Amino acid sequence: MDVVATHSNADFDGLASMVAVRKLFPEARLILPAGAQEAVRKFLAVHDLNITKLKDVDLSQVARLILVDTQDPGRIGTLTACLENPAVEIVVFDHHLESDSVCAGRSKQSVVDSVGATTTLLVEQLQRRHVPVTPFEATVMALGLYEETGSFTFASTTSRDFEAGAFLVQAGADLTMVSDTLYTPLDPDAVALLNDFLEHSDVLYLEGRKVLVSTSTIDRCRGEAAGVVHRLAELQGVDAVVVAVMMADRVEVIGRSRRPEIDVGWIAREFKGGGHAVAASATVKGQTLSEVKEKVVQLLTTHYRPTLLAQDVMTRPVKAIETGTTVAEAGQRMTAYGLNVLPILDEKDRYTGIVSRESIQKALFHRLGKMAVRDIMQTDAYTARPETSFHEIETAMIERNQRCVPIVKEAKVVGVITRTDLLRTLHDDVLKTARTRTIQPSDAGTEAGRPHRNVKGLLRSRLPHRLGTLLEEAGHIADRCEVSLFVVGGCVRDLLLGIHNLDLDLVVEGDGIAFARKLGDVYEARVKVHERFGTAMVLLPDGLKLDVATARTEYYEYPTALPTVEQSSIKKDLYRRDFTINALAIRLNGKGFGDVQDFYGGQRDLNEKVIRVLHGLSFVEDPTRVFRAIRFETRFGFRLGKDTTALIAGAVKMNLFHRLSGHRLLEELKLLFSEREPRQSIKRLADMGLLRFIHPKLSWSDRLEKLLNAIDEAVDWYRLLYLDRKMDVWLVYMMGLIELVPEHHVKEILKRFPFSEQESTRLKMARVGCHHAMRRLTSKRPLKPAEVYHLLSGLSDETLLILMAKSKGDTVRRHISAFVTTYQHVKPTLSGADLKEMGLKPGPQFKEILARLLDARLNGDLRTDSDERQFVRQMLPASTRTA
């Protein structure tokens, strides 16, 4: 007699595998040796699969025992008697790899392989032997395959599982029945168990993974506990879950892992249980729930190193004050740096305590501003070491209600962990989910639409190989120098948007100049240092260049002032930037290379196509950011956030732009008018009431709109004509704006903005000097090409384009087009040397002759070298003509 059996508390993979085996061994009896899960029992109550009860089988008559989805003798009940009988042939089909399995070793027919489900192995056997499968049988097998692979989402899923699924669907598997059977709502007992797990859970950070350990004393849903654990893992978004449930006389240990690196099968085997890397369980007797949990934690933390330490989370470098600092000055420092707690150091820079904003404010309320902070500091605050585990710090901060933990090494403060750091680390899985919402810019590559917490692949695929390699090597050098290195700003933004940008800016948490010099030594590169700003440029021999800066923070003494800059952390460095989409960084250190640092929601705003400032005083501190907001809005097709729009309106109402120097404002206008859609940007300036800060007489009008449309056409025409020719597009649009200002006010604009001498000349020419050319070009008398040439040859390309835009008819455009495309390139073939050969003496007449030759050429009177020579001879006196 052949008997087919699976493990105790059978799941659908075990049941499906038994059904599949019976297709290979038609006379075999199916047995559930030690019960089944609740969902399996409910299914069998409706669908008769001809399961034989164990009590009805005479084990002495068993000739062959076929085990599916298990090799563990401890999980097949009284069938172990068959294993002890050497006359019984043992056959195993299992996807759990157990090298020391006695069962699999007793048969040459056994099939044990690492796939997502045992069902897959048996489907492959059916396919090889061309065994037909009915739709119902295919449905049962699909139940096992879908359950064991998490509908093909578990990390253990292989391509072979997909192929097996395709075969079953083709065989008629009812996927609706599969869905209805597997995905049932939790009953009240299961919900109670899930809540109990949530209330009694701890998070461990191991090998860079997040593992949840939970316990429960609710034993009302014995067969459903595994399903609840699966729901728990999904709900919490962790990498693995291990739970212990008290069940009267025993403790059930159940593990689920979404990452094979965290092997819950190993944990179960330590408790004499079984399973595989992503799903396992064990039954423990003789131990309390607390003892089991303690052992689970011990096993996890011993086998998997806790890699999330204080040094991985802390913010550095640290802003601190001395014990003698006054309360008033401490309050000013907190405001300037945007901090709520400051560590306090003694005269030897050793840590002595902390002071909070609340303490400072209370002291100021009591008019104690001149008191030294040593008199109000907290000296018994919890501190940690760089190697302290994050979990220990988390517990201390919660128990002590402490908002900031100084990280101290050899009495020196090397970092701090704040509540913000705590929350971001605890809920990074939530942030990760928010970041994964699809980014779909119109011109983004395929990678931009995918979640990217780590963009190592993007760095390697989007950057030239030499540059990508250089960044990786720079990260290793930073590791050796014990500093943190990041690439920051616009290049990170454009990388995520799929836009080509090789202008890389590096930021170092530490001494940026020292790191740049080290980089220069390694690559034999030239290093240009700017000590005042803590920046350097590394110029490599192959032409590549890297800008390196020290991580800085800044504050403003008053609105529109230039910022005061001090060394700080990457978090503070990003906070001083203009918008969230520009406050992104990518870590370059070997550990974590490619990790995106997003403290302020920049990836979310890229996804939602929003321009958003980092804080409410951003435009007050630096009003030029308004022009940058409009520039990015236009460039990327984004929109200004609601709060950002309101803050711009407030800055306009405060008239802060009048305080800006002409130089700073002009630089922003140049950049704005050099974008692809300057007309749209000018319209936005007008909508926000900003044109008047260029000149009070400027406002939006139909005339301005028509002129800007004409400038757009002229510029587009020029760009198509000259792909490689440089032209200051911004100057053409500035000419257009000046055209709308009364003539006697033009000098005020030229005085307000520090245009170069050449730029001022061209602006004046566009506003006043073109009138004569315009009148001649629009005259009723037809103009010869030479006349057009002499009218336009002294004008810049920018002036020609504004002249073309200002013209109301096609005549002027045709003349300018002919000049730009043809006339300005016409030259006589004869030169001064040729005239000398013809017997003429050098002198003023050379210039006159060459000018007349040019005019004749332009007008089409001369076409060849011979024509020109004949023309010259006719100009000479008869006595000097040669034959």
Side-chain angles (χ1 to χ4, degrees):
M1 178 175 57
D2 292 345
V3 169
V4 182
T6 187
H7 53 78
S8 58
N9 197 30
D11 57 12
F12 276 111
D13 189 29
L15 180 67
S17 299
M18 291 169 63
V19 170
V21 165
R22 188 160 56 187
K23 301 292 292 182
L24 301 175
F25 301 88
E27 302 302 321
R29 297 187 183 185
L30 307 188
I31 295 176
L32 294 174
Q37 293 180 1
E38 178 68 20
V40 174
R41 293 200 304 271
K42 288 180 179 179
F43 182 80
L44 292 175
V46 178
H47 304 282
D48 183 10
L49 296 184
N50 194 19
I51 305 292
T52 302
K53 295 181 179 180
L54 181 59
K55 66 180 182 178
D56 296 333
V57 177
D58 183 355
L59 297 183
S60 65
Q61 300 300 311
V62 175
R64 179 162 47 197
L65 174 63
I66 306 166
L67 296 177
V68 295
D69 202 34
T70 186
Q71 304 170 54
D72 185 355
R75 302 190 72 195
I76 59 174
T78 58
L79 288 177
T80 53
C82 296
L83 300 178
E84 297 167 357
N85 185 352
V88 176
E89 180 185 356
I90 307 298
V91 179
V92 174
F93 293 95
D94 193 13
H95 72 128
H96 306 112
L97 298 182
E98 298 181 16
S99 58
D100 57 348
S101 170
V102 175
C103 299
R106 284 183 53 179
S107 172
K108 296 180 180 179
Q109 296 186 54
S110 294
V111 178
V112 179
D113 204 352
S114 181
V115 291
T118 301
T119 303
T120 296
L121 299 176
L122 286 155
V123 168
E124 290 175 343
Q125 294 292 319
L126 296 176
Q127 287 179 285
R128 290 192 189 100
R129 303 182 191 187
H130 303 287
V131 178
V133 177
T134 68
F136 178 70
E137 291 169 337
T139 301
V140 175
M141 294 180 208
L143 279 168
L145 180 60
Y146 274 68
E147 180 191 58
E148 196 71 2
T149 63
S151 297
F152 306 105
T153 62
F154 290 168
S156 58
T157 306
T158 69
S159 60
R160 292 164 63 184
D161 299 301
F162 283 100
E163 291 169 359
F167 170 80
L168 295 175
V169 171
Q170 190 173 13
D174 185 346
L175 296 185
T176 301
M177 181 185 290
V178 172
S179 177
D180 292 344
T181 303
L182 295 180
Y183 302 103
T184 55
L186 296 177
D187 60 29
D189 288 342
V191 171
L193 178 60
L194 180 62
N195 285 332
D196 204 37
F197 280 145
L198 290 171
E199 289 180 12
H200 301 87
S201 62
D202 293 307
V203 176
L204 304 177
Y205 297 89
L206 309 167
E207 302 289 348
R209 303 299 184 188
K210 195 172 181 180
V211 181
L212 189 74
V213 178
S214 298
T215 60
S216 176
T217 56
I218 296 177
D219 63 351
R220 295 195 300 272
C221 49
R222 300 165 184 257
E224 294 300 291
V228 174
V229 173
H230 180 70
R231 294 285 183 94
L232 178 64
E234 288 183 334
L235 182 64
Q236 294 298 89
V238 293
D239 295 298
V241 171
V242 181
V243 304
V245 187
M246 194 70 211
M247 298 281 190
D249 62 339
R250 67 189 187 278
V251 176
E252 292 287 338
V253 177
I254 303 171
R256 291 293 183 269
S257 175
R258 298 165 64 191
R259 306 284 182 181
E261 303 95 290
I262 304 296
D263 184 356
V264 294
W266 171 78
I267 298 293
R269 287 191 291 275
E270 290 293 312
F271 287 101
K272 309 302 181 185
H276 49 95
V278 297
S281 63
T283 298
V284 183
K285 294 185 177 181
Q287 295 185 38
T288 66
L289 187 64
S290 297
E291 289 173 335
V292 172
K293 179 186 177 182
E294 184 178 348
K295 184 175 179 180
V296 167
V297 173
Q298 179 187 5
L299 289 170
L300 285 169
T301 54
T302 301
H303 192 69
Y304 301 106
R305 186 173 64 88
T307 52
L308 193 61
L309 308 177
Q311 62 194 17
D312 302 316
V313 179
M314 67 185 186
T315 297
R316 56 184 171 186
V318 181
K319 290 297 178 186
I321 55 177
E322 300 74 31
T323 54
T325 304
T326 66
V327 167
E329 186 180 352
Q332 292 171 354
R333 296 262 193 102
M334 285 180 170
T335 300
Y337 299 138
L339 300 174
N340 291 311
V341 177
L342 281 171
I344 300 174
L345 312 179
D346 63 15
E347 64 278 358
K348 294 184 179 180
D349 290 336
R350 295 174 301 192
Y351 169 77
T352 58
I354 60 174
V355 65
S356 67
R357 184 181 290 272
E358 287 87 349
S359 297
I360 293 294
Q361 289 175 337
K362 286 181 180 179
L364 291 173
F365 177 78
H366 292 295
R367 299 181 181 180
L368 302 175
K370 295 182 179 180
M371 176 187 290
V373 291
R374 71 166 65 90
D375 298 324
I376 62 170
M377 69 180 180
Q378 180 184 354
T379 58
D380 62 347
Y382 169 78
T383 63
R385 301 177 306 280
E387 61 274 14
T388 303
S389 74
F390 173 77
H391 181 66
E392 179 181 327
I393 295 171
E394 171 199 353
T395 302
M397 291 181 75
I398 294 173
E399 290 179 350
R400 295 167 176 258
N401 192 30
Q402 186 169 323
R403 67 171 56 195
C404 177
V405 173
I407 310 302
V408 181
K409 180 179 181 180
E410 297 175 357
K412 306 287 185 180
V413 181
V414 295
V416 294
I417 293 180
T418 65
R419 287 182 180 177
T420 301
D421 298 323
L422 179 72
L423 287 170
R424 289 187 65 85
T425 305
L426 282 172
H427 301 289
D428 186 59
D429 53 323
V430 177
L431 295 173
K432 192 187 306 181
T433 301
R435 290 193 291 264
T436 62
R437 296 181 184 129
T438 304
I439 299 173
Q440 294 178 329
S442 58
D443 55 349
T446 56
E447 291 290 333
R450 294 170 49 197
H452 289 293
R453 180 171 178 235
N454 184 289
V455 293
K456 182 190 301 182
L458 279 181
L459 288 171
R460 290 173 175 168
S461 63
R462 291 240 171 97
L463 296 179
H465 176 73
R466 173 73 181 100
L467 194 54
T469 302
L470 176 63
L471 292 182
E472 290 195 55
E473 292 171 349
H476 293 312
I477 294 171
D479 287 336
R480 293 196 293 272
C481 295
E482 297 184 344
V483 297
S484 296
L485 179 66
F486 306 87
V487 59
V488 302
C491 54
V492 178
R493 173 200 67 217
D494 291 347
L495 183 76
L496 297 178
L497 287 175
I499 297 173
H500 183 72
N501 184 350
L502 300 183
D503 186 12
L504 300 185
D505 294 319
L506 305 186
V507 167
V508 177
E509 279 189 334
D511 191 335
I513 292 177
F515 175 77
R517 286 175 172 150
K518 179 66 175 177
L519 207 59
D521 291 341
V522 172
Y523 289 101
E524 298 181 352
R526 189 159 57 94
V527 179
K528 294 174 63 176
V529 172
H530 303 281
E531 294 281 358
R532 178 183 174 188
F533 302 105
T535 63
M537 180 183 292
V538 181
L539 303 166
L540 285 89
D542 60 1
L544 288 176
K545 69 175 183 178
L546 295 173
D547 290 313
V548 182
T550 301
R552 297 165 289 172
T553 188
E554 62 185 28
Y555 58 90
Y556 295 76
E557 296 289 348
Y558 55 87
T560 76
L562 292 174
T564 299
V565 179
E566 296 181 4
Q567 185 175 334
S568 187
S569 64
I570 185 64
K571 182 178 178 181
K572 286 292 185 181
D573 187 275
L574 294 175
Y575 188 68
R576 70 185 180 84
R577 296 171 189 271
D578 45 17
F579 309 108
T580 59
I581 63 171
N582 293 331
L584 294 165
I586 298 174
R587 182 178 290 277
L588 297 181
N589 296 77
K591 179 185 178 182
F593 179 84
D595 284 349
V596 176
Q597 310 294 305
D598 181 7
F599 300 99
Y600 309 109
Q603 293 179 89
R604 177 198 62 203
D605 290 341
L606 284 177
N607 173 41
E608 297 178 358
K609 299 185 177 182
V610 174
I611 305 296
R612 183 167 58 88
V613 290
L614 292 167
H615 58 87
L617 294 177
S618 182
F619 296 131
V620 173
E621 293 177 344
D622 185 1
T624 62
R625 288 172 176 164
V626 172
F627 298 94
R628 294 201 288 280
I630 295 172
R631 173 152 51 95
F632 293 132
E633 178 188 41
T634 306
R635 179 190 299 177
F636 301 124
F638 284 16
R639 59 181 172 81
L640 296 179
K642 183 178 179 182
D643 288 345
T644 300
T645 302
L647 291 170
I648 291 176
V652 171
K653 188 175 181 180
M654 294 170 67
N655 280 326
L656 295 175
F657 301 91
H658 282 312
R659 304 183 191 179
L660 286 174
S661 68
H663 173 75
R664 292 184 68 195
L665 183 53
L666 179 60
E667 289 304 308
E668 291 299 332
L669 292 175
K670 284 182 178 181
L671 292 171
L672 187 61
F673 295 167
S674 296
E675 293 288 328
R676 290 297 301 182
E677 297 288 343
R679 178 181 56 82
Q680 185 177 339
S681 298
I682 293 172
K683 180 65 167 65
R684 289 294 278 154
L685 290 175
D687 293 341
M688 295 177 178
L690 291 164
L691 281 183
R692 63 187 175 91
F693 295 108
I694 300 175
H695 192 275
K697 295 294 183 180
L698 271 178
S699 62
W700 190 258
S701 64
D702 290 341
R703 182 187 171 196
L704 177 57
E705 184 174 15
K706 290 177 182 178
L707 179 59
L708 292 176
N709 286 333
I711 292 175
D712 283 349
E713 292 178 7
V715 169
D716 288 343
W717 168 80
Y718 184 91
R719 281 173 169 157
L720 286 173
L721 190 65
Y722 294 111
L723 296 177
D724 301 324
R725 189 159 167 171
K726 187 178 181 301
M727 188 247 314
D728 289 326
V729 174
W730 71 268
L731 192 57
V732 184
Y733 286 91
M734 185 62 76
M735 291 173 176
L737 291 178
I738 288 180
E739 184 69 22
L740 274 292
V741 176
E743 192 170 317
H744 59 281
H745 288 295
V746 172
K747 290 183 179 179
E748 296 173 4
I749 294 179
L750 297 178
K751 184 178 179 181
R752 163 88 163 114
F753 298 106
F755 296 108
S756 68
E757 185 176 346
Q758 185 184 63
E759 292 165 354
S760 293
T761 300
R762 291 180 179 180
L763 287 168
K764 292 174 186 175
M765 178 64 72
R767 184 65 179 87
V768 181
C770 289
H771 292 171
H772 172 67
M774 183 70 79
R775 284 196 302 270
R776 291 289 307 279
L777 292 172
T778 55
S779 66
K780 294 181 179 180
R781 181 179 67 81
L783 296 177
K784 290 184 178 182
E787 293 178 283
V788 174
Y789 174 85
H790 290 298
L791 276 173
L792 303 179
S793 61
L795 303 180
S796 67
D797 287 357
E798 294 85 1
T799 307
L800 290 173
L801 291 183
I802 194 64
L803 191 60
M804 181 181 283
K806 287 164 60 176
S807 64
K808 297 180 180 180
D810 293 336
T811 303
V812 175
R813 294 190 184 96
R814 284 198 301 270
H815 284 317
I816 295 175
S817 177
F819 171 79
V820 172
T821 58
T822 305
Y823 300 165
Q824 65 176 341
H825 305 297
V826 173
K827 297 287 186 295
T829 59
L830 295 182
S831 64
D834 295 320
L835 296 181
K836 288 175 64 177
E837 288 181 3
M838 293 176 68
L840 275 71
K841 294 181 179 181
Q845 62 176 337
F846 269 34
K847 182 177 181 180
E848 179 184 351
I849 291 171
L850 291 174
R852 291 180 64 182
L853 278 173
L854 175 60
D855 288 351
R857 269 282 187 178
L858 286 166
N859 292 333
D861 298 333
L862 304 176
R863 299 183 182 279
T864 66
D865 179 88
S866 299
D867 291 343
E868 289 190 15
R869 290 181 182 276
Q870 183 61 31
F871 182 77
V872 172
R873 292 189 189 101
Q874 291 176 356
M875 292 174 58
L876 299 176
S879 60
T880 62
R881 295 177 189 172
T882 59

